[in-house]
Amino acid sequence: MEKKRLVVGACGASGMPLLIHCLTLIRRQPEWETCLIMSGSAELTLLQETDWTRQQVEALADHVFRPEETGAGPASGSFRTEGMLIVPCSMKTVAGIWAGYGDNLIQRAADVTIKEQRPLVLAARETPLSSIHLRNLYELSKIPGVRIVPPMMTFYHKPESIEDMLHHTAARLLEPFGIVPEGYRRWEGI
C-alpha cells in the first residue's frame, strides 16, 4: 500500500513543541508518512524551547531533507504529496512564500504546493503582528488551498494542561489533510 505523504517544514519561530506533537500524531497514522525539512533557525529554537535534539525530532519523520537541498523531491510537482504543513512558520518564510522567493527547500516546497493546488497550512507565529506581516498573510490567504492557522489557545474543550492545548492545536493543523487525531474535540455549539 502506497502511503500518503505530507511535507512538514519547520522554521525558527517559537513553537517547537507543536512541531514535535504534529509529527508524533502523524506517525500514529499507518497510512501516512512525513518528509521533514528543518531550517537552521528551527534547530536553534528547538534547543531553546525543548530538551529534544534535532536527531530526535528527525527520528519522528520518515524522510528528512536539509533546507539547502533545493533539488530534493519536495522541490518538484511530480513528487506526489497530500500537501504541506509549516509548523512553526516564521514571518520570514511567510514573506518568502508570498514573494515566490524559493531560495531554500521549505520555501520551494511551499511554492510547489501552491502551484500544484495542494493544501498548504501555515502555523504562522509572531506577536504582535505588524502591518507587513498582516499584508503578507492576507495575500497568502487569498490563494486557494492556503490556510493560515496561527497556533492560538482555545478553551471551549476545557484543557487541563499544556499537553491538552498542544493536542488541540496540532489537531487543528492536521485536520485540513484529513488527519483527525483521537481525542480532538470540535466545537459542537452551545
Side-chain angles (χ1 to χ4, degrees), residues 8 26 32 41 53-54 64 71 79 87 142-143 157 176 178 185:
V8 179
I26 299 166
W32 285 85
S41 296
T53 65
R54 181 184 195 117
V64 176
F79 186 77
V87 54
K142 294 191 302 185
I143 299 171
H157 57 100
R185 291 181 50 207

Side-chain angles (χ1 to χ4, degrees), residues 110-180:
D111 185 56
V112 165
T113 301
I114 291 170
K115 83 176 181 70
E116 295 295 328
Q117 298 182 344
R118 298 174 184 151
L120 174 62
V121 177
L122 306 177
R125 275 288 302 121
E126 188 60 72
T127 190
L129 291 164
S130 74
S131 56
I132 295 168
H133 302 149
L134 290 167
R135 183 201 64 220
N136 291 340
L137 290 167
Y138 171 71
E139 294 297 340
L140 282 172
S141 76
K142 294 191 302 185
I143 299 171
V146 175
R147 291 192 191 192
I148 311 297
V149 186
M152 295 183 180
M153 294 183 294
T154 59
F155 298 98
Y156 61 83
H157 57 100
K158 297 185 178 155
E160 296 180 5
S161 65
I162 292 173
E163 185 70 19
D164 288 349
M165 290 182 175
L166 273 173
H167 186 75
H168 186 80
T169 303
R172 294 287 310 263
L173 292 168
L174 296 174
E175 191 174 28
F177 304 104
I179 300 171
V180 182

Side-chain angles (χ1 to χ4, degrees), residues 63-75:
H63 309 279
V64 176
F65 300 98
R66 297 280 178 250
E68 60 274 8
E69 293 182 80
T70 54

Side-chain angles (χ1 to χ4, degrees), residues 3 6 8 16-29 32-38 46 50 52-64:
K3 292 187 173 190
L6 184 63
V8 179
M16 290 301 130
L18 194 51
L19 167 68
I20 293 165
H21 201 79
C22 284
L23 288 170
T24 300
L25 291 175
I26 299 166
R27 191 152 194 80
R28 292 179 187 160
Q29 309 296 317
W32 285 85
E33 67 179 19
T34 54
C35 299
L36 177 64
I37 312 162
M38 282 182 68
L46 177 73
T50 75
W52 287 63
T53 65
R54 181 184 195 117
Q55 293 76 20
Q56 288 172 308
V57 173
E58 288 176 347
L60 294 173
D62 298 287
H63 309 279
V64 176

